[in-house]
Amino acid sequence: MTAQPTPAKAGEPGSGLQAGLKNRHLSMIAIGGVIGAGLFVGSSSGIATAGPGILLSYALVGTLVVLVMRMLGEMSAANPASGSFSAHADRALGRWAGFTIGWLYWFFWVVVLAVEATAGAKILAGWVPAVPQWGWALLVMVVLTATNLVSVGSYGEFEFWFAGIKVVAIGVFIVVGALAVLGVLPGVDDDRAGLSNLTGHGGFLPNGPGAILTGVLLVVFSFMGSEIATLAAGESEDPRRAVTKSTNSIIWRIAVFYLGSVFVVVTLVPWDDESVTEKGSYVAALDSLGIAHAGQIMDFIVLTSVLSCLNSGLYTASRMAFSLGERGDAPKAFARTTSRGVPMAAIVASVVFGFLAVFFNYEFPDSVFLFLVNSSGAVALFVWLVICFSQLRMRRIIRAEAPEKLVVKMWLYPYLTWATAALIVLVLGYMLTDTEHDGRVTVLLSLLVAAVVLVVAVVRERAAGGRASAGAGAGAVEARDGIRTG
């Protein structure tokens, strides 16, 4: 397993990652990591599908994330590693598991780079149409690449401010919205706002209980990113403390930012109001409060979330590539760092694939790029499933080797771990029945890509085993010959 990175000495290229992230960086990365642009953009379709019952969908996925993060926190607090769950899977399940899930996760994030760069470019092109959309996409990718290449501290500083804007914006939205729902917000007199929206307009579950699971499919991917704090912790001054803190705070972060903000939306505006799908759920909520320029305000917040996701996506992809390189599962160049502790080759490789995906998005949006998006769509669930199985094994390993390192423990082990894995399998199974929102296509294509990577992993492992056996056999023959000669 990859050990906690040893801070490199200044001016010593290739000596490893540096502990360049401060506690305030880690705190904001942990908070902002669960707030993606998907919360603002993707909630509209979920509300339109499940009505107020979308709260149960968010609660179900939120519970799932809390449990998975608890397992990951247990393993990462005991053994902080730059590869996080991939490094844990490598040791707990075998090298094939670490290789497979590591490369799938890298693939997921480089595709996200293209998706988020395009989303940000659309907003910026709307503000400054003189610059073509592809030009904006290129610009944001170049700027954030330069940020990540400077040092891990510059990534942390950018993310601190990006995440800070998201946190403040949602906090203000929840407070203002709650006051409006209670009827005590000065200057706002909207008859539509109120708790009655939860049960009116067809009831709490207007489209039936089945819509809850459909809602899960629509919101589950907006939670991806909560595990970034465990990857970043390896480059902090106190990795074990950082992991423990972020793991313990995941419950209130999800409760406030997801459930809290969505609750405000569905109480401010009736779920079946046309503005929810036409303008977006958060813009519709702001409009209902009579806030001027609600669309532009939300565009700014979404742009901040997009830039945050791009920044973190590039960081996450490069650190996973670095970890794979350290373990011999990627080119060795990926594990080399500059004098500032930056894995330059890993960052450049991730960016190149990201640029390529952006090109496919503009040239072949309905073929190549659609395949990339769908084939990476279920990776989040695969990662969570691997974390479950890794924790089942790692708990026994940690107990046997260093029980004092179990500073974070999964609740009701192993029963709750098995229950979490079963719930993930249930969601994947339900996705196979979903043809309306492309759930079946996403799972099948993701499974296809996962199968290809797994085959490569198994072939590599067997080839390495064969070479080792051949080397051992040759050594034994030489030894026998030496004895005979003697």
Side-chain angles (χ1 to χ4, degrees), residues 53-91:
I54 195 64
L55 288 168
L56 296 180
S57 302
Y58 273 105
L60 190 60
V61 179
T63 301
L64 189 63
V65 172
V66 167
L67 295 174
V68 170
M69 280 298 295
R70 187 73 183 182
M71 298 177 218
L72 183 55
E74 176 181 300
M75 295 184 290
S76 296
N79 294 287
S82 59
S84 189
F85 52 84
S86 173
H88 303 322
D90 191 302
R91 186 180 184 191

Short mmCIF file of all heavy atoms in Angstrom, two decimals, residues 53-91:
data_model
loop_
_atom_site.label_atom_id
_atom_site.label_comp_id
_atom_site.label_asym_id
_atom_site.label_seq_id
_atom_site.Cartn_x
_atom_site.Cartn_y
_atom_site.Cartn_z
N GLY A 53 -41.15 14.55 -2.83
CA GLY A 53 -40.52 13.29 -2.43
C GLY A 53 -39.06 13.20 -2.82
O GLY A 53 -38.34 12.29 -2.37
N ILE A 54 -38.58 14.17 -3.62
CA ILE A 54 -37.16 14.19 -3.97
C ILE A 54 -36.31 14.34 -2.72
O ILE A 54 -35.13 13.95 -2.70
CB ILE A 54 -36.87 15.35 -4.97
CG1 ILE A 54 -35.49 15.18 -5.63
CG2 ILE A 54 -36.97 16.69 -4.27
CD1 ILE A 54 -35.34 13.97 -6.50
N LEU A 55 -36.89 14.88 -1.66
CA LEU A 55 -36.18 14.99 -0.38
C LEU A 55 -35.78 13.61 0.13
O LEU A 55 -34.70 13.44 0.70
CB LEU A 55 -37.05 15.70 0.65
CG LEU A 55 -37.24 17.22 0.45
CD1 LEU A 55 -38.34 17.74 1.36
CD2 LEU A 55 -35.93 17.95 0.70
N LEU A 56 -36.66 12.61 -0.08
CA LEU A 56 -36.33 11.24 0.33
C LEU A 56 -35.21 10.67 -0.53
O LEU A 56 -34.37 9.92 -0.06
CB LEU A 56 -37.58 10.36 0.25
CG LEU A 56 -38.73 10.72 1.19
CD1 LEU A 56 -39.90 9.76 1.00
CD2 LEU A 56 -38.26 10.71 2.64
N SER A 57 -35.21 11.04 -1.82
CA SER A 57 -34.14 10.60 -2.72
C SER A 57 -32.80 11.15 -2.26
O SER A 57 -31.80 10.43 -2.18
CB SER A 57 -34.43 11.05 -4.16
OG SER A 57 -35.66 10.55 -4.63
N TYR A 58 -32.79 12.45 -1.95
CA TYR A 58 -31.56 13.07 -1.47
C TYR A 58 -31.14 12.48 -0.12
O TYR A 58 -29.94 12.27 0.13
CB TYR A 58 -31.74 14.59 -1.33
CG TYR A 58 -31.47 15.36 -2.60
CD1 TYR A 58 -32.50 15.88 -3.37
CD2 TYR A 58 -30.16 15.55 -3.05
CE1 TYR A 58 -32.24 16.59 -4.54
CE2 TYR A 58 -29.89 16.26 -4.22
CZ TYR A 58 -30.95 16.78 -4.96
OH TYR A 58 -30.68 17.47 -6.11
N ALA A 59 -32.11 12.21 0.74
CA ALA A 59 -31.80 11.63 2.05
C ALA A 59 -31.22 10.24 1.90
O ALA A 59 -30.27 9.86 2.61
CB ALA A 59 -33.05 11.60 2.91
N LEU A 60 -31.76 9.46 0.96
CA LEU A 60 -31.29 8.09 0.73
C LEU A 60 -29.86 8.10 0.21
O LEU A 60 -28.99 7.38 0.72
CB LEU A 60 -32.22 7.39 -0.27
CG LEU A 60 -32.03 5.88 -0.45
CD1 LEU A 60 -32.24 5.14 0.86
CD2 LEU A 60 -32.99 5.35 -1.51
N VAL A 61 -29.61 8.93 -0.80
CA VAL A 61 -28.25 9.00 -1.36
C VAL A 61 -27.29 9.61 -0.34
O VAL A 61 -26.15 9.18 -0.19
CB VAL A 61 -28.22 9.82 -2.67
CG1 VAL A 61 -26.80 9.90 -3.21
CG2 VAL A 61 -29.15 9.21 -3.70
N GLY A 62 -27.78 10.62 0.40
CA GLY A 62 -26.94 11.24 1.43
C GLY A 62 -26.52 10.24 2.49
O GLY A 62 -25.37 10.22 2.93
N THR A 63 -27.45 9.38 2.90
CA THR A 63 -27.14 8.33 3.88
C THR A 63 -26.09 7.38 3.31
O THR A 63 -25.15 6.97 4.01
CB THR A 63 -28.41 7.55 4.26
OG1 THR A 63 -29.37 8.46 4.81
CG2 THR A 63 -28.10 6.46 5.27
N LEU A 64 -26.26 7.04 2.05
CA LEU A 64 -25.31 6.15 1.37
C LEU A 64 -23.91 6.76 1.38
O LEU A 64 -22.92 6.09 1.70
CB LEU A 64 -25.79 5.91 -0.07
CG LEU A 64 -25.07 4.85 -0.89
CD1 LEU A 64 -25.23 3.48 -0.27
CD2 LEU A 64 -25.61 4.85 -2.32
N VAL A 65 -23.82 8.04 1.05
CA VAL A 65 -22.53 8.73 1.01
C VAL A 65 -21.91 8.80 2.40
O VAL A 65 -20.70 8.59 2.57
CB VAL A 65 -22.69 10.14 0.41
CG1 VAL A 65 -21.40 10.94 0.55
CG2 VAL A 65 -23.09 10.06 -1.05
N VAL A 66 -22.72 9.08 3.42
CA VAL A 66 -22.22 9.14 4.79
C VAL A 66 -21.60 7.80 5.19
O VAL A 66 -20.51 7.74 5.78
CB VAL A 66 -23.35 9.52 5.77
CG1 VAL A 66 -22.92 9.27 7.21
CG2 VAL A 66 -23.75 10.98 5.58
N LEU A 67 -22.29 6.71 4.87
CA LEU A 67 -21.79 5.38 5.23
C LEU A 67 -20.51 5.03 4.48
O LEU A 67 -19.54 4.52 5.07
CB LEU A 67 -22.87 4.33 4.95
CG LEU A 67 -24.15 4.44 5.80
CD1 LEU A 67 -25.20 3.45 5.32
CD2 LEU A 67 -23.83 4.20 7.27
N VAL A 68 -20.49 5.34 3.17
CA VAL A 68 -19.29 5.05 2.37
C VAL A 68 -18.12 5.89 2.85
O VAL A 68 -16.98 5.40 2.96
CB VAL A 68 -19.57 5.31 0.87
CG1 VAL A 68 -18.27 5.26 0.07
CG2 VAL A 68 -20.56 4.29 0.32
N MET A 69 -18.38 7.16 3.16
CA MET A 69 -17.30 8.04 3.64
C MET A 69 -16.79 7.59 5.01
O MET A 69 -15.61 7.76 5.34
CB MET A 69 -17.80 9.48 3.70
CG MET A 69 -17.79 10.19 2.36
SD MET A 69 -16.13 10.33 1.67
CE MET A 69 -15.35 11.40 2.88
N ARG A 70 -17.68 7.01 5.81
CA ARG A 70 -17.24 6.49 7.11
C ARG A 70 -16.26 5.33 6.91
O ARG A 70 -15.24 5.24 7.59
CB ARG A 70 -18.45 6.01 7.91
CG ARG A 70 -18.13 5.61 9.34
CD ARG A 70 -17.85 6.82 10.20
NE ARG A 70 -17.47 6.44 11.56
CZ ARG A 70 -17.22 7.32 12.52
NH1 ARG A 70 -17.32 8.61 12.28
NH2 ARG A 70 -16.87 6.91 13.73
N MET A 71 -16.58 4.46 5.97
CA MET A 71 -15.67 3.34 5.66
C MET A 71 -14.33 3.86 5.13
O MET A 71 -13.26 3.40 5.54
CB MET A 71 -16.29 2.42 4.61
CG MET A 71 -17.58 1.76 5.01
SD MET A 71 -18.21 0.79 3.62
CE MET A 71 -19.97 1.07 3.78
N LEU A 72 -14.41 4.80 4.20
CA LEU A 72 -13.19 5.36 3.62
C LEU A 72 -12.38 6.10 4.67
O LEU A 72 -11.14 6.02 4.69
CB LEU A 72 -13.55 6.31 2.47
CG LEU A 72 -12.40 6.94 1.69
CD1 LEU A 72 -11.46 5.87 1.15
CD2 LEU A 72 -12.94 7.80 0.55
N GLY A 73 -13.08 6.79 5.57
CA GLY A 73 -12.40 7.49 6.65
C GLY A 73 -11.67 6.54 7.57
O GLY A 73 -10.56 6.84 8.03
N GLU A 74 -12.27 5.38 7.84
CA GLU A 74 -11.62 4.38 8.69
C GLU A 74 -10.30 3.93 8.07
O GLU A 74 -9.26 3.87 8.75
CB GLU A 74 -12.53 3.17 8.87
CG GLU A 74 -11.90 2.03 9.66
CD GLU A 74 -12.83 0.84 9.79
OE1 GLU A 74 -13.92 1.01 10.35
OE2 GLU A 74 -12.47 -0.27 9.33
N MET A 75 -10.31 3.63 6.77
CA MET A 75 -9.11 3.15 6.10
C MET A 75 -8.08 4.25 5.92
O MET A 75 -6.87 4.03 6.10
CB MET A 75 -9.49 2.53 4.74
CG MET A 75 -10.36 1.29 4.85
SD MET A 75 -10.70 0.50 3.24
CE MET A 75 -11.80 1.70 2.48
N SER A 76 -8.53 5.45 5.56
CA SER A 76 -7.61 6.56 5.28
C SER A 76 -7.00 7.13 6.54
O SER A 76 -5.86 7.60 6.53
CB SER A 76 -8.34 7.66 4.50
OG SER A 76 -8.75 7.18 3.23
N ALA A 77 -7.74 7.13 7.65
CA ALA A 77 -7.18 7.61 8.91
C ALA A 77 -6.09 6.67 9.41
O ALA A 77 -5.09 7.09 9.99
CB ALA A 77 -8.27 7.76 9.96
N ALA A 78 -6.28 5.38 9.16
CA ALA A 78 -5.29 4.39 9.58
C ALA A 78 -4.07 4.40 8.65
O ALA A 78 -2.93 4.22 9.10
CB ALA A 78 -5.91 3.00 9.60
N ASN A 79 -4.30 4.61 7.37
CA ASN A 79 -3.22 4.60 6.39
C ASN A 79 -3.45 5.69 5.34
O ASN A 79 -3.95 5.40 4.25
CB ASN A 79 -3.14 3.24 5.68
CG ASN A 79 -2.74 2.12 6.61
OD1 ASN A 79 -1.60 2.02 7.03
ND2 ASN A 79 -3.69 1.27 6.94
N PRO A 80 -3.12 6.94 5.64
CA PRO A 80 -3.29 8.01 4.65
C PRO A 80 -2.46 7.72 3.41
O PRO A 80 -1.29 7.36 3.51
CB PRO A 80 -2.76 9.26 5.38
CG PRO A 80 -2.82 8.91 6.83
CD PRO A 80 -2.56 7.44 6.91
N ALA A 81 -3.08 7.83 2.22
CA ALA A 81 -2.37 7.52 0.98
C ALA A 81 -2.84 8.44 -0.12
O ALA A 81 -3.99 8.85 -0.16
CB ALA A 81 -2.62 6.05 0.59
N SER A 82 -1.93 8.78 -1.03
CA SER A 82 -2.28 9.68 -2.13
C SER A 82 -3.33 9.06 -3.05
O SER A 82 -4.07 9.77 -3.70
CB SER A 82 -1.02 10.02 -2.93
OG SER A 82 -0.42 8.85 -3.45
N GLY A 83 -3.40 7.73 -3.08
CA GLY A 83 -4.37 7.07 -3.95
C GLY A 83 -5.67 6.73 -3.25
O GLY A 83 -6.58 6.17 -3.86
N SER A 84 -5.75 7.02 -1.95
CA SER A 84 -6.98 6.80 -1.18
C SER A 84 -7.55 5.40 -1.42
O SER A 84 -6.86 4.41 -1.24
CB SER A 84 -8.01 7.88 -1.51
OG SER A 84 -9.13 7.83 -0.66
N PHE A 85 -8.82 5.34 -1.84
CA PHE A 85 -9.51 4.04 -1.96
C PHE A 85 -8.84 3.09 -2.95
O PHE A 85 -8.93 1.87 -2.80
CB PHE A 85 -10.97 4.26 -2.36
CG PHE A 85 -11.13 5.13 -3.56
CD1 PHE A 85 -11.03 4.62 -4.83
CD2 PHE A 85 -11.35 6.49 -3.42
CE1 PHE A 85 -11.15 5.43 -5.94
CE2 PHE A 85 -11.48 7.32 -4.52
CZ PHE A 85 -11.38 6.78 -5.79
N SER A 86 -8.16 3.62 -3.98
CA SER A 86 -7.46 2.75 -4.93
C SER A 86 -6.30 2.04 -4.24
O SER A 86 -6.08 0.83 -4.43
CB SER A 86 -6.95 3.57 -6.12
OG SER A 86 -6.14 2.79 -6.97
N ALA A 87 -5.55 2.78 -3.41
CA ALA A 87 -4.44 2.18 -2.66
C ALA A 87 -4.96 1.18 -1.63
O ALA A 87 -4.36 0.13 -1.41
CB ALA A 87 -3.63 3.28 -1.96
N HIS A 88 -6.11 1.50 -1.00
CA HIS A 88 -6.69 0.57 -0.03
C HIS A 88 -7.15 -0.72 -0.72
O HIS A 88 -6.95 -1.82 -0.20
CB HIS A 88 -7.88 1.22 0.68
CG HIS A 88 -7.53 2.50 1.38
ND1 HIS A 88 -6.34 2.68 2.04
CD2 HIS A 88 -8.22 3.67 1.52
CE1 HIS A 88 -6.30 3.91 2.56
NE2 HIS A 88 -7.42 4.52 2.25
N ALA A 89 -7.79 -0.57 -1.89
CA ALA A 89 -8.25 -1.74 -2.64
C ALA A 89 -7.08 -2.60 -3.09
O ALA A 89 -7.15 -3.83 -3.12
CB ALA A 89 -9.07 -1.30 -3.86
N ASP A 90 -5.97 -1.92 -3.44
CA ASP A 90 -4.75 -2.63 -3.86
C ASP A 90 -4.30 -3.60 -2.78
O ASP A 90 -3.95 -4.76 -3.07
CB ASP A 90 -3.66 -1.59 -4.14
CG ASP A 90 -2.45 -2.18 -4.84
OD1 ASP A 90 -1.85 -3.12 -4.27
OD2 ASP A 90 -2.11 -1.72 -5.94
N ARG A 91 -4.32 -3.14 -1.54
CA ARG A 91 -3.84 -3.98 -0.44
C ARG A 91 -4.91 -4.97 0.03
O ARG A 91 -4.61 -6.12 0.34
CB ARG A 91 -3.42 -3.10 0.72
CG ARG A 91 -2.77 -3.91 1.83
CD ARG A 91 -2.34 -3.06 3.00
NE ARG A 91 -1.65 -3.87 3.99
CZ ARG A 91 -1.36 -3.45 5.20
NH1 ARG A 91 -1.66 -2.22 5.56
NH2 ARG A 91 -0.73 -4.24 6.05
#
